[in-house]
Amino acid sequence: MKKIAIYGKGGIGKSTTTSNLSAALAARGLRVMQIGCDPKADSTKNLMQGRVIPTVLDQIRQRDNQVELDHIAFEGFGGVVCVEAGGPTPGIGCAGRGIITAFQKLEELEAYERYQPDIVFYDVLGDVVCGGFAMPIRGGYADNVFIVTSGEMMALYAATNIAHAIENFGKRGYAKYSGLIQNSRNVENEDALVQQVARESGTEVVKIIPRHKLVQQAENQGMTVVEAFPDSEMAREYNSLADKVLEVVGL
Amino acid sequence: MKKIAIYGKGGIGKSTTTSNLSAALAARGLRVMQIGCDPKADSTKNLMQGRVIPTVLDQIRQRDNQVELDHIAFEGFGGVVCVEAGGPTPGIGCAGRGIITAFQKLEELEAYERYQPDIVFYDVLGDVVCGGFAMPIRGGYADNVFIVTSGEMMALYAATNIAHAIENFGKRGYAKYSGLIQNSRNVENEDALVQQVARESGTEVVKIIPRHKLVQQAENQGMTVVEAFPDSEMAREYNSLADKVLEVVGL
Ligand SMILES: Nc1ncnc2c1ncn2[C@@H]1O[C@H](COP(=O)(O)OP(=O)(O)O)[C@@H](O)[C@H]1O
Ligand SMILES: Nc1ncnc2c1ncn2[C@@H]1O[C@H](COP(=O)(O)OP(=O)(O)O)[C@@H](O)[C@H]1O
Ligand code: SF4
Ligand SMILES: [Mg+2]
Ligand SMILES: [Mg+2]
């Protein structure tokens, strides 16, 4: 079971990229689990026909901690097992608390034993790397970390920050920083800017994903591009990313 | 002394807007203090001729807590008193910890008594509203809160989140949510989208600031637009924002 964390600045395209990755790998017969670790809790929406599934935090609250696996894990497109950690009420408590709680609950309910995933993706907010948001790196929960970025200054700043966090506090032998995924925003000199940050942080650009309106068109149908437009050039881009990820993590 | 917090998603233009506001008000003879509450620690750069001042956290570390006011508070353009809270090493501890530490240190060193500001601006990261980032709202440190947003989905999502935090956890009588500042990104239907979020969160759009390359030109000289191009249309926009802010906070 390979555990892969996908980090990046909010809005950069983590969930879009991760859910298309999950869909592409599931379509090849791999058992995939995708765990949303962003309080926005919509990581898996386009694997669930546009449905926002209940979060682990919400279920614990509403069911007074009488939570079963079927309350928090849902099978979506291609059999991808979808989970959303959720977040606390804005302003109170650590925003990353949902992630800590979700990880505990999934272990307690033996989710990995039941579903036997080949790959687990954690889709993690990367604007700050602390509290629960640092767990996939610090807790030894991830074997590999990829960072999604564009050529925009704020996205690159966040990427550098996350790279430092991995370097400083990845537990020995865990959380290998495996590369940047460029989710293009078509800014000036983008490829070179992203390439430079890759070099400076001692890694590579794993794949350049173009900006494409098929993403929005698929989204409007509550789907990934891989599901809605499987024969498109854009679906090929995500499949090529899937190949690269498998190669990098040794699957 | 009016204490005003400026929140918003990372990269939305909080520091650009706040430093131009500070410059505009200082140019009218008001005593202004600007406290950067973003681990990026560059809020006051363009009031300090492009210089990134030492942060409170860094000074405490490097000087073994033997910190004087002159080590952390610096007078910039127009006499604006500049402070940067700083942030911890990425991945370790709460990212908002610098803010908590900075507030304590400024009180301990009696900064407000020494400088007697008419207005204090806190420029605060708003991607998560927890830990130290919630302090200006929860700790009763801010009289008024403005949120900087554009018409982009992620900026509006963050704005809504921050508005909820104020509503849930502003201490009684403190932290009045005073409105949205639209920092335009020229997306489709922008004015209407921002207007809608204003309505839904029970407030108004205080000012629409256009996107303008004079911002970059001033930045490249290490200045605000108000300092570099005082007679420009863009400087007038920031002055008009200053008028509106004074009116809204009752100064
Ligand atoms: N390659 C792409 N081309 C076009 N639009 C994209 C692409 N990737 C992401 N987007 C758009 O950007 C928005 C934000 O992406 P999302 O995956 O939700 O970001 P994150 O999960 O990092 O917050 C999505 O609504 C999506 O429509
Ligand atoms: N009105 C504007 N017009 C053009 N560029 C802007 C404007 N406001 C901000 N910017 C640009 O956006 C970038 C990010 O702004 P910044 O103030 O640093 O964001 P934040 O403090 O919210 O992280 C700045 O480098 C600046 O050049
Ligand atoms: S550790 Fe990070 S996520 Fe948790 S309270 Fe602090 S800033 Fe918020
Ligand atoms: Mg997401
Ligand atoms: Mg800033």
Side-chain angles (χ1 to χ4, degrees), chain B residues 1-4 31-33 35 107 111-122 141-144 249 251:
Chain B
M1 178 169 81
K2 281 290 181 181
K3 308 195 287 320
I4 300 168
R31 177 60 130 176
V32 182
M33 191 169 187
I35 304 173
E107 281 185 5
Y112 305 103
E113 287 75 0
R114 167 158 159 192
Y115 292 110
Q116 302 277 327
D118 301 305
I119 295 184
V120 179
F121 285 114
Y122 309 103
Y141 285 93
D143 305 309
N144 302 81
V249 309
L251 262 182

Side-chain angles (χ1 to χ4, degrees), chain A residues 11-12 150-152 183-187 190 209 211, chain B residues 152 185:
Chain A
I12 196 57
S150 68
E152 294 160 304
N183 196 30
S184 304
R185 293 291 299 239
N186 300 337
V187 298
E190 185 159 48
I209 301 173
R211 191 166 183 73
Chain B
E152 296 161 303
R185 295 290 301 239

Side-chain angles (χ1 to χ4, degrees), chain A:
Chain A
M1 178 171 82
K2 281 290 181 182
K3 308 196 287 323
I4 301 167
I6 309 286
Y7 275 84
K9 181 167 180 56
I12 196 57
K14 290 182 294 302
S15 303
T16 303
T17 305
T18 307
S19 52
N20 274 280
L21 251 179
S22 292
L25 293 165
R28 302 174 192 198
L30 284 163
R31 178 61 131 176
V32 182
M33 192 170 188
Q34 181 167 327
I35 304 174
C37 300
D38 186 322
K40 205 154 146 255
D42 64 353
S43 166
T44 57
K45 191 165 149 213
N46 295 323
L47 295 167
M48 300 294 304
Q49 302 185 334
R51 173 182 161 215
V52 172
I53 60 178
T55 71
V56 176
L57 265 197
D58 283 344
Q59 292 290 46
I60 288 174
R61 261 195 299 261
Q62 288 164 20
R63 293 171 187 270
D64 218 14
N65 212 12
Q66 308 301 324
V67 175
E68 300 301 324
L69 213 41
D70 294 327
H71 299 147
I72 59 173
F74 304 84
E75 291 203 27
F77 173 77
V80 177
V81 180
C82 299
V83 178
E84 293 288 348
T89 323
I92 198 148
C94 179
R97 186 160 62 77
I99 300 164
I100 299 170
T101 308
F103 282 17
Q104 286 171 350
K105 190 54 72 176
L106 288 169
E107 283 185 4
E108 180 193 319
L109 296 174
E110 301 192 335
Y112 305 102
E113 287 75 0
R114 168 159 160 191
Y115 292 111
Q116 301 278 327
D118 300 307
I119 295 184
V120 180
F121 286 114
Y122 308 104
D123 169 0
V124 197
L125 177 146
D127 299 291
V128 294
V129 197
C130 48
F133 302 117
M135 251 187 113
I137 295 170
R138 298 190 64 178
Y141 286 93
D143 305 309
N144 301 81
V145 180
F146 295 90
I147 302 173
V148 181
T149 187
S150 68
E152 294 160 304
M153 178 195 68
M154 287 305 303
L156 291 171
Y157 173 77
T160 304
N161 217 37
I162 298 157
H164 282 142
I166 300 167
E167 181 189 2
N168 293 334
F169 303 104
K171 253 167 113 171
R172 194 157 189 71
Y174 288 98
K176 183 175 184 325
Y177 173 29
S178 296
L180 292 173
I181 299 169
Q182 178 178 321
N183 196 30
S184 304
R185 293 291 299 239
N186 300 337
V187 298
E188 202 181 327
N189 212 15
E190 185 159 48
D191 295 9
L193 288 169
V194 178
Q195 188 58 255
Q196 182 182 354
V197 168
R199 245 195 332 270
E200 286 168 359
S201 60
T203 188
E204 55 162 358
V205 180
V206 161
K207 173 99 185 87
I208 297 176
I209 301 173
R211 191 166 183 73
H212 203 300
K213 55 179 163 38
L214 275 188
V215 168
Q216 279 75 39
Q217 289 181 24
E219 245 173 25
N220 292 337
Q221 302 175 43
M223 297 183 203
T224 58
V225 172
V226 167
E227 176 176 12
F229 307 107
D231 305 317
S232 64
E233 178 56 38
M234 196 58 180
R236 266 196 291 287
E237 296 283 356
Y238 284 120
N239 269 286
S240 162
L241 172 64
D243 295 334
K244 204 73 182 41
V245 167
L246 289 176
E247 174 191 337
V248 164
V249 308
L251 264 180

Side-chain angles (χ1 to χ4, degrees), chain B residues 14-16 38 40 42-43 123:
Chain B
K14 289 180 296 303
S15 303
T16 303
D38 187 323
K40 206 154 147 254
D42 63 354
S43 167
D123 168 0

